[in-house]
Amino acid sequence: MLGPGAHVSGERSVAIVGGGVIGLCCAWYAQREGYRVVVLEQGAPDRDCCSLGNSGLIVPSHFVPLAAPGVTRVALRSLFDPRSPLRLHPRLDPAYLAWCLRFLRSATEEHVQRAAPALRDLSFLSLRCYSELADEWRNPFGLSKRGLMILSRTPEQHDEEAHHARFAESIGVEAKVLDPAQAARLEPGMRMDIAGAVLYPLDAHLTPQTLVMELTRRLQQAGVEFHWSTAVTGWRMRGERALAARTREGEVPADHFIVAAGAWSSQVTAPLGLRLPLQAGKGYNLTLRRPRSQPAMSAILSEARIAVTPMGETLRFAGTLELAGLDLAIDRRRVQALIDAVALYYPEFTADDFDGVQPWAGLRPCSPDGLPYIGRTRRADNVLLASGHAMMGVSLAPATGLVVSELLAGRKPSAPLAMFDADRFG
């Protein structure tokens, strides 16, 4: 049994399912609201959760959801190219095929126009939250607000990114289109082979593994209880209200529950009768301990869809998205594609730089319309969702935690949530 400490029921108690960065941020803001909080995490204390291998970007520039018109072509071509940056892995699974159909239907210009302001507002709220936490904690997680450059190797891709920059400016996201010489002046320590770049000066980055460690430590100091190796397997219900989360170790009752279980969220919510369209998107990173060159700011290698993030003395290259189910096996072809792409943009880097570097893989929770699920579900009036952030988990984590805590407290959330309705797929 979990023991007396796990029974957090009372007038202001909340149990959070998932101890990744989203769950931790939900716990942080909930305990600041005065709730007694317990976190139920299926992994061990030294877990290797998806948050740890994130690129660490905080990106108001990323207001276009994963489901967008241009991505459709890439996704369809990927069926025949195992090295594609985005790959819809062929498999005969009804839930997966239904997800793919919804994804293709969502990838419209109209969807992008509707989603962009909502993602923009949530991203700017996250940036504000991170700035406040960095000031309060003396920035142990390395928040750097130096901006981000989108690097394009071909004139065609640079034109597309310039078009995106004009759209960004139209909705209040600052952007500057640069030629190669202008980009080089901003990164004098990096030799780049590019046709141009776009600078997003309001973007930022941090070190995600340090963020997760610091959040966990401070939550424990604040009295939040963590129950490791504790997977939620079901629910005890009374009508439309969840009374307790069921685990193999016993039941955990609470007044409110927040599901932030990442790629496993649909399994957690299924016993509630909630069919949550969610697929695990496998991503990789390679982190160089002593890179031959270190950029001053983060970057995106546009055609390759690779994020480049300086983290202290290390340099992380993170990217690719493979929809292959809950499978963490390393596909060496995809790792090699990442290595090959880095050398195209940064000619000083070679394959030898990556010798002995252990590839990391993690599973991102992807919704079919590219938007997270945030808020209450009609299936249980005291259960809230905070999942489906795909590659934007770290970027949107504190904003998600803040608005969920505001919903718990019965206040108007600090960002509009209509586009993130947990029940939008029925």
Side-chain angles (χ1 to χ4, degrees), residues 78-94:
S78 77
L79 294 171
F80 311 99
D81 181 8
R83 290 168 55 100
S84 174
L86 166 65
R87 190 172 193 222
L88 300 181
H89 200 281
R91 67 182 195 273
L92 294 176
D93 170 50

Side-chain angles (χ1 to χ4, degrees), residues 52-364:
L52 301 179
N54 191 284
S55 61
L57 302 182
I58 304 116
V59 278
S61 63
H62 283 43
F63 51 80
V64 173
L66 179 62
V71 178
T72 305
R73 297 190 302 273
V74 176
L76 292 175
R77 287 199 301 267
S78 77
L79 294 171
F80 311 99
D81 181 8
R83 290 168 55 100
S84 174
L86 166 65
R87 190 172 193 222
L88 300 181
H89 200 281
R91 67 182 195 273
L92 294 176
D93 170 50
Y96 174 61
L97 294 174
W99 187 99
C100 291
L101 184 59
R102 284 191 172 110
F103 175 76
L104 296 174
R105 287 175 175 171
S106 297
T108 66
E109 189 60 37
E110 179 186 6
H111 176 59
V112 171
Q113 293 288 336
R114 292 176 59 236
L119 287 172
R120 172 204 61 196
D121 292 346
L122 203 62
S123 290
F124 276 130
L125 179 59
S126 255
L127 184 58
R128 190 189 83 195
C129 291
Y130 274 128
S131 297
E132 292 171 353
L133 292 175
D135 291 342
E136 181 181 344
W137 299 350
R138 298 186 180 179
N139 198 15
F141 48 84
L143 178 66
S144 173
K145 296 189 281 187
R146 294 184 177 180
L148 172 143
M149 280 202 294
I150 308 285
L151 308 180
S152 299
R153 293 199 69 249
T154 66
E156 296 78 14
Q157 187 66 27
H158 183 49
D159 288 344
E160 187 173 322
E161 293 295 348
H163 174 75
H164 181 87
R166 290 189 290 273
F167 181 29
E169 290 277 351
S170 74
I171 64 169
V173 178
E174 185 178 351
K176 298 178 181 178
V177 180
L178 309 174
D179 62 29
Q182 291 170 318
R185 284 195 288 271
L186 291 176
E187 284 290 7
M190 300 290 288
R191 186 159 67 91
M192 298 178 289
D193 185 2
I194 57 174
V198 174
L199 171 67
Y200 290 96
L202 299 180
D203 284 5
H205 69 267
L206 51 75
T207 303
Q209 56 269 34
T210 308
L211 171 68
V212 169
M213 185 169 57
E214 186 68 15
L215 269 169
T216 303
R217 183 182 72 83
R218 288 180 177 271
L219 286 167
Q220 289 173 327
Q221 285 182 344
V224 171
E225 294 185 32
F226 284 79
H227 294 274
W228 308 105
S229 305
T230 304
V232 171
T233 57
W235 303 86
R236 177 158 59 88
M237 304 289 294
R238 179 183 294 160
E240 294 183 350
R241 187 171 184 82
L243 299 181
R246 287 179 170 152
T247 78
R248 292 183 178 87
E249 290 73 29
E251 289 189 347
V252 182
D255 295 303
H256 306 276
F257 299 88
I258 300 171
V259 177
W264 288 265
S265 293
S266 58
Q267 294 182 357
V268 173
T269 59
L272 294 172
L274 174 61
R275 294 182 179 179
L276 193 68
L278 202 65
Q279 288 292 319
K282 183 163 55 180
Y284 296 84
N285 87 45
L286 294 165
T287 303
L288 300 182
R289 300 300 172 190
R290 291 192 178 93
R292 64 174 64 228
S293 301
Q294 184 77 310
M297 68 179 76
S298 53
I300 299 288
L301 311 184
S302 183
E303 293 92 341
R305 301 179 185 272
I306 294 171
V308 183
T309 315
M311 297 180 181
E313 296 181 354
T314 69
L315 182 60
R316 175 167 294 174
F317 298 94
T320 84
L321 185 70
E322 180 184 11
L323 297 171
L326 296 171
D327 173 20
L328 281 168
I330 301 289
D331 186 333
R332 292 288 171 176
R333 296 170 298 181
R334 300 184 67 73
V335 174
Q336 189 60 50
L338 191 155
I339 294 171
D340 294 344
V342 169
L344 294 176
Y345 293 82
Y346 300 122
E348 287 183 338
F349 286 85
T350 69
D352 293 341
D353 289 291
F354 297 91
D355 283 349
V357 177
Q358 181 62 39
W360 177 95
L363 301 176
R364 297 104 157 219

